[in-house]
Amino acid sequence: MADPSPGPGRDIATYGCRERRVRKLPAHVVVYLLIALCLSPADDYEEVAEKLTGMPALMPGARWEAPTRGAITQARRRLGTEVVKEVFRQVAGPAATKSTPGAWLNRRRVMAVDGFVVDLPDTEANVAEFGRDSAGGYETAFPQARVVAISECASHAMVAADVAGCWAGEQTLAFSLYEQLTEEMLLTAGRGFYSFPAWNQARHSGAHLLWRVQAGLRPYWLRDLEDGSWLAVITKPSGLRRSQKDRQREAARQGRDLDPEHAVIVRVVDYTVPDRKDEHIRLITSILDPGRGHRRRTWPVATMIAGRPKPASIS
């Protein structure tokens, strides 16, 4: 089966995974097989392999047979992980067009960062590498991997991802992904992802941010805005003396530039959710001008984070 695309073949050569003899499952076929397995998670190895590579068996005089489960397992082991990671890095990207409903907010592509866990085959190697979760007092039946990804909200297409053991922190995994954001993006995030360093890391990419924050975060009020949101300054929570924080706040009040390693100005949006017993939700965003966010389209974005919103301070 010839490789119709230079991408996997180039990556295979880069990482030295090219087979040394003719095989039923050459490396580039294994790459496509892995993609097919992800697209057909309910099918077993042999069924997917038959769908992907079964055509040669239909040719007149052919003696070709689909590979067995054991052959596929050995081929995956030979291929390794680096080629698959590189193929993902090359092909992963937004899928929405300019006309895709819900994909854009005032010319910004709406993205989200989130984490989840996936069950893995119950093998000793997977248990050693990824572990079993026992946070609820009961150990999971299968080892689990934790995945954190940045995805496009409209299409659900992943543009960046990282995988680690089930005990890895989502905030830690997400940190290295922020450098893959672009200036056209607006990244939304739940409250588990905020930290002062994480916010700065994501902003360094040029992307704008709209994140829910923990109740314990107390931004320093600067002034109220006409749409009911308010401007605030957030200082680095550790490593600064009280006098240094006060100087940053005074500079913000006077409109002077701040040291982004010590303090940042954000716009705060507060609202409650009636069907959650008036739960108070707080978002912060790097879009400081309410007019640039187009208020009438801001609340659907917030909905992706915390359900149907009701602005707390907007009549």
Side-chain angles (χ1 to χ4, degrees):
M1 183 175 179
D3 181 3
S5 169
R10 180 177 58 248
D11 300 330
I12 289 165
T14 299
Y15 290 99
C17 300
R18 182 75 68 186
E19 57 278 350
R20 292 182 175 83
R21 60 186 177 87
V22 177
R23 295 181 181 273
K24 183 182 292 186
L25 282 174
H28 70 272
V29 174
V30 180
V31 172
Y32 292 120
L33 178 58
L34 289 174
I35 296 173
L37 286 168
C38 293
L39 295 175
S40 305
D43 296 339
D44 61 28
Y45 277 16
E46 290 91 341
E47 289 175 332
V48 176
E50 183 68 37
K51 292 176 182 177
L52 181 67
T53 63
M55 288 302 295
L58 302 178
M59 297 179 181
R63 298 180 180 180
W64 192 90
E65 296 180 358
T68 63
R69 173 183 290 268
I72 296 172
T73 299
Q74 293 178 20
R76 293 183 64 175
R77 188 176 296 114
R78 289 193 303 269
L79 183 67
T81 60
E82 293 304 318
V83 172
V84 181
K85 291 179 181 178
E86 185 60 32
V87 170
F88 174 80
R89 282 192 289 265
Q90 290 186 20
V91 303
T97 66
K98 294 294 184 181
S99 60
T100 302
W104 303 87
L105 179 65
N106 194 26
R107 298 185 300 279
R108 297 184 185 93
R109 190 184 296 272
V110 183
M111 313 293 292
V113 58
D114 204 357
F116 55 92
V117 294
V118 292
D119 291 336
L120 303 174
D122 190 8
T123 65
E124 292 182 2
N126 281 341
V127 172
E129 180 71 19
F130 298 100
R132 300 179 193 268
D133 190 0
S134 58
Y138 299 93
E139 192 173 77
T140 55
F142 295 93
Q144 294 181 323
R146 185 169 303 280
V147 182
V148 172
I150 294 176
S151 303
E152 185 177 46
C153 292
S155 68
H156 299 175
M158 291 186 184
V159 303
D162 200 1
V163 182
C166 63
W167 292 105
E170 291 183 344
Q171 196 176 107
T172 302
L173 289 177
F175 198 86
S176 64
L177 303 181
Y178 296 140
E179 63 187 20
Q180 300 184 52
L181 298 169
T182 64
E183 293 183 358
E184 71 166 356
M185 294 178 177
L186 171 66
L187 180 68
T188 64
R191 59 187 169 184
F193 288 92
Y194 173 80
S195 72
F196 189 84
W199 180 271
N200 274 351
Q201 175 77 354
R203 282 294 288 138
H204 285 162
S205 69
H208 275 293
L209 312 179
L210 175 63
W211 291 10
R212 184 178 176 182
V213 294
Q214 306 93 329
L217 183 69
R218 296 289 186 265
Y220 182 83
W221 176 88
L222 292 176
R223 68 176 184 273
D224 292 329
L225 299 174
E226 58 186 17
D227 71 336
S229 60
W230 46 285
L231 292 185
V233 60
I234 299 177
T235 54
K236 184 179 179 182
S238 61
L240 290 182
R241 296 186 298 273
R242 178 62 179 270
S243 60
Q244 291 176 299
K245 293 182 179 181
D246 289 342
R247 282 196 295 271
Q248 293 294 322
R249 291 164 179 168
E250 181 61 27
R253 283 195 296 268
Q254 296 182 11
R256 301 199 307 267
D257 291 338
L258 305 183
D259 181 348
E261 298 303 319
H262 291 166
V264 294
I265 295 177
V266 299
R267 179 167 150 236
V268 183
V269 180
D270 290 309
Y271 62 87
T272 57
V273 184
D275 55 1
R276 293 189 186 180
K277 298 181 179 180
D278 288 333
E279 177 187 5
H280 174 252
I281 305 296
R282 171 164 289 174
L283 307 180
I284 62 174
T285 178
S286 58
I287 303 174
L288 305 183
D289 181 358
R292 294 179 61 196
H294 287 222
R295 174 184 166 185
R296 66 185 177 84
R297 297 188 60 195
T298 297
W299 306 129
V301 176
T303 302
M304 296 182 297
I305 301 177
R308 189 178 75 252
K310 171 187 174 184
S313 57
I314 299 179
S315 59

